[in-house]
């Protein structure tokens, strides 16, 4: 478990995105939405047509009632026609309700199938992206893709588009009809509607959109921080880092509140004004005043005011729906873009030709590597690791030790050159074959939610109890497991709360059980928990025998006896040899050794003076 600090959210100061960037983003969003919805777009068009028809049907009864009212004011009254008109209005209303139900049922059915397909697609994708992809993201962020974004798409597929179409068709049909009744009065009616659009446009101007984007990012950061905080609380506390994790959570809460405030304050003011201009009372006032003036001037027949008052007043509320619908469409668009980007992430390419590993000779040939962020981290690495030997990687912090080690289990793929095991490029291994060949124990121990046994069996699902016990005994964790309330069936986080060191010994047992010919270790696993340090060291010793072992060393005195030491400096291999030879050479290793000695001396002094 690592305590991850989320990337800076940026733009908190309210800086605008450059216009071109905002436009490009909008275009990318539209393209991503189109592409990701492509599998359902045909079916959604059918649902949209049904909703459009239902919306027309929601206006028609008013028109029939207006016609009936006009008839009632005639003399003599044609009662049959009045009844017929009212009857027709009721029938159209029923048809509208039916159409609406069919459209919504249809869109939900389409969405249910689509969500399943999409989640499967994403899950399959996650099994193919490089492992390093997860290292760069917190579990909260990954949850964001699988849950929040897919949910946002549900709203887009099942509701937003239909709501938007409904909200757009009603005012269009109504205005079209009113235009045929009296075009001048229709223009008067449009004054509050246009005012609404102008005000609404103000809410969603570039500043507003930027503030919404900042708010959305804070919201995601909060969601990630919450998951990290809750998920990692035991491990984080075991490492004495509760304050730090809590701080990240607290910062995220505060940031989200500030961003919400910044986003909503201007919106609330403008929204209040825009809501007022489309309120039925306000629209009625405008229509009555305009209508009376028209009647006074002899432009308008007093009877023609009737449809405006009956039908026109409802336009405002449907416009409100249009506003909310467009916001939902935008949120869905952003989610679609993120999912689209995830689906475009390059995958580990595998030319599956399983062959089986015989010995486990590992060779790095001209290996170069750079993270997405740019500068070269590793350059020209040529090295061979032979079975039955331990090779230690040393070097100043940031020199590339962890990166080099992580290339072997393919957390990342080399940028140039290749890594082979028994002469075969590791990119040709199936992922299963690779994990049967290369075991690793890194600092950030990941345990899955489940029992201790399930966690161990991840390495070798067919292992029997005897094999499991051999591994846990060698990793010095067997007795601790037996002391748990339900032994091997205790659930991590429920009745099995492990300290950092214990979790690491469990992961060492897992690596032992996997019994892989090649092993990559981070020696810092021994650091986490001073009480179990000796136990972890013994466990590691059991793990390495007879294998090809690469160990990232942080404390030089623990690796003086290894077969070979590789010294990395700024991404290149500057020295290699045994401890004695490298010390005699008087290069970087000798300097590092001196620093290490001085540090140990200082530590001993502190102990003495206590
Ligand atoms: P070491 O293990 O020797 O301390 P690392 O392999 O962790 O060194 O890091 C080597 C360089 O790569 C450093 O400059 C570090 O900042 C950078 N780096 C490490 N991990 C990442 C990552 N996930 N993304 C971008 N840069 C990284």
């Amino acid at each position: 478990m690592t305590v991850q600090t989320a990337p800076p959210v940026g733009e908190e100061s309210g800086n605008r995105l450059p216009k071109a960037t905002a436009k490009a983003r909008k275009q990318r969003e539209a393209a991503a939405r189109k592409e990701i919805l492509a599998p359902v777009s045909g079916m959604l068009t059918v649902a949209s047509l049904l909703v459009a028809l239902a919306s027309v049907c929601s206006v028609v009864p008013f028109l029939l009632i207006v016609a009936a009212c006009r008839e009632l004011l005639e003399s003599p009254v044609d009662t049959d026609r009045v009844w017929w008109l009212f009857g027709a209005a009721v029938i159209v209303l029923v048809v509208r309700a039916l159409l609406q139900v069919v459209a919504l049922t249809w869109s939900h059915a389409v969405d249910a199938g689509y969500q399943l397909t999409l989640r499967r697609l994403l899950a399959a994708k996650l099994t193919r992206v490089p492992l390093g992809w997860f290292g760069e993201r917190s579990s909260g962020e990954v949850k964001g893709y699988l849950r929040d974004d897919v949910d946002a798409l549900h709203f887009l597929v099942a509701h937003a588009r239909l709501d938007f179409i409904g909200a757009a068709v009603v005012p269009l049909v109504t205005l079209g009809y009113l235009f045929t009744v009296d075009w001048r009065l229709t223009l008067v009616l449009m004054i509050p509607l246009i005012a609404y659009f102008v005000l609404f446009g103000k809410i969603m101007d570039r500043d507003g959109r930027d503030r919404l984007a900042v708010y959305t990012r804070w919201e995601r950061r909060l969601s990630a921080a919450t998951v990290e905080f809750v998920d990692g609380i035991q491990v984080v506390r075991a490492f004495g880092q509760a304050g730090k994790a809590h701080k990240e959570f607290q910062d995220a809460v505060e940031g989200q509140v500030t961003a919400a405030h910044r986003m909503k304050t201007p919106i609330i003011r403008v929204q209040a004004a825009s809501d007022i201009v489309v309120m039925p009372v306000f629209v009625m006032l405008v229509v009555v005043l305009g209508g009376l003036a028209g009647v006074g001037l002899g432009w308008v027949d007093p009877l023609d005011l009737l449809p405006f008052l009956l039908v026109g007043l409802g336009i405002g509320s449907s416009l409100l729906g249009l506003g909310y619908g467009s916001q939902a469409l935008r949120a869905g668009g952003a989610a679609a873009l993120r999912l689209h980007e995830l689906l475009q992430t390059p995958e580990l390419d595998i030319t599956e030709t399983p062959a089986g590993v015989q010995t486990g000779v590992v060779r790095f040939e001209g290996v170069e590597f750079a993270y997405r962020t740019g500068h070269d981290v590793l350059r020209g690495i040529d090295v061979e690791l032979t079975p039955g030997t331990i090779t230690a990687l040393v070097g100043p912090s940031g020199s590339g030790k962890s990166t080099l080690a992580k290339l072997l289990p393919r957390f990342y793929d080399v940028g140039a050159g290749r890594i082979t095991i028994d002469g075969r490029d590791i990119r040709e291994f199936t992922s299963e074959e690779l994990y049967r060949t290369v075991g690793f124990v890194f600092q950030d121990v990941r345990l899955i939610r489940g029992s201790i046994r399930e966690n161990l069996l991840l390495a070798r699902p067919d292992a029997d109890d005897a094999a499991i016990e051999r591994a846990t005994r060698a990793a010095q964790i067997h007795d601790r497991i037996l002391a748990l309330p339900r032994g091997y069936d205790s659930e991590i986080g429920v009745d099995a709360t492990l300290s950092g060191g214990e979790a690491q010994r469990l992961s060492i047992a897992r690596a032992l059980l996997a019994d892989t010919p090649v092993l990559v270790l981070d020696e810092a696993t021994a650091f986490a928990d001073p009480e179990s340090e000796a136990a972890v060291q013994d466990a590691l010793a059991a793990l390495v025998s007879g294998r090809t072992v690469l160990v990232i060393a942080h404390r030089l005195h623990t690796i003086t006896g290894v077969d070979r030491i590789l010294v990395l400096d700024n991404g290149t291999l500057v020295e290699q040899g045994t401890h004695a030879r490298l010390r005699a050479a008087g290069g970087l290793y000798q300097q590092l050794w001196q620093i290490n000695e001085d540090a140990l001396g200082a530590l001993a002094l502190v102990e003495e003076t206590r």
Side-chain angles (χ1 to χ4, degrees), residues 316-339:
S317 47
S318 50
L319 285 187
L320 287 180
L322 200 63
Y324 296 130
S326 70
Q327 281 181 21
L329 279 181
R330 230 186 313 272
L337 183 61
R338 279 190 294 272
L339 290 178

Side-chain angles (χ1 to χ4, degrees), residues 136 371 373 375 377 396-403 412:
E136 289 164 9
Y371 286 101
T373 42
H375 74 284
V377 174
S397 172
S399 56
K401 303 183 290 289
S402 314
T403 307
Y412 302 99

Side-chain angles (χ1 to χ4, degrees), residues 192-211:
L193 307 186
I194 291 170
Y196 174 79
F197 274 114
V198 171
L199 288 169
F200 191 75
K202 253 184 128 46
I203 297 178
M204 272 301 138
D205 63 359
R206 253 187 327 128
D207 278 345
R209 275 202 303 273
D210 292 351
R211 279 190 292 265

Side-chain angles (χ1 to χ4, degrees), residues 25 29 33 149 152 216 328-340:
R25 185 182 162 83
E29 252 177 46
R33 196 166 51 201
D149 287 345
T216 313
L329 279 181
R330 230 186 313 272
L337 183 61
R338 279 190 294 272
L339 290 178
H340 187 252

Side-chain angles (χ1 to χ4, degrees), residues 236-305:
V236 165
R237 282 179 58 184
F239 281 93
Q241 295 283 334
K244 188 173 175 204
H246 186 241
K247 187 170 178 311
E248 167 59 18
F249 176 66
Q250 198 91 51
D251 287 352
V253 172
E254 278 163 21
Q256 194 248 15
V257 170
T258 316
H261 191 66
R262 235 182 235 150
M263 178 186 72
K264 295 215 167 116
T265 319
I267 291 185
I268 288 169
R269 269 187 243 125
V270 185
Q271 195 154 28
S274 65
D275 284 0
I276 286 174
V277 296
V278 290
M279 260 164 63
V281 178
F282 187 81
V283 179
M284 186 162 80
L285 202 70
V286 173
V287 169
V288 168
L289 286 179
L292 288 181
V295 172
L297 289 170
W299 287 351
V300 181
D301 179 352
L303 257 188
D304 285 347
L305 276 181

Side-chain angles (χ1 to χ4, degrees), residues 132 135-137 369-378 393-406 412 443 522 552-554 568 570-571:
E136 289 164 9
R137 286 160 184 84
F369 179 77
Y371 286 101
R372 276 187 308 170
T373 42
H375 74 284
D376 289 351
V377 174
L378 295 171
L393 266 177
V394 306
S397 172
S399 56
K401 303 183 290 289
S402 314
T403 307
L404 181 66
K406 283 186 171 170
Y412 302 99
Q443 257 170 304
D522 192 326
I552 307 169
H554 300 271
L568 271 181
N570 198 15

Side-chain angles (χ1 to χ4, degrees), residues 80-113:
D80 282 353
R81 185 158 179 263
V82 172
W83 278 118
W84 185 89
L85 286 168
F86 276 120
V90 171
I91 292 171
V92 175
L93 269 182
V94 172
V95 170
R96 176 202 170 251
L98 285 178
L99 283 173
Q100 194 80 21
V101 167
V102 171
L104 270 182
T105 314
W106 174 256
S107 73
H108 273 83
V110 169
D111 179 60

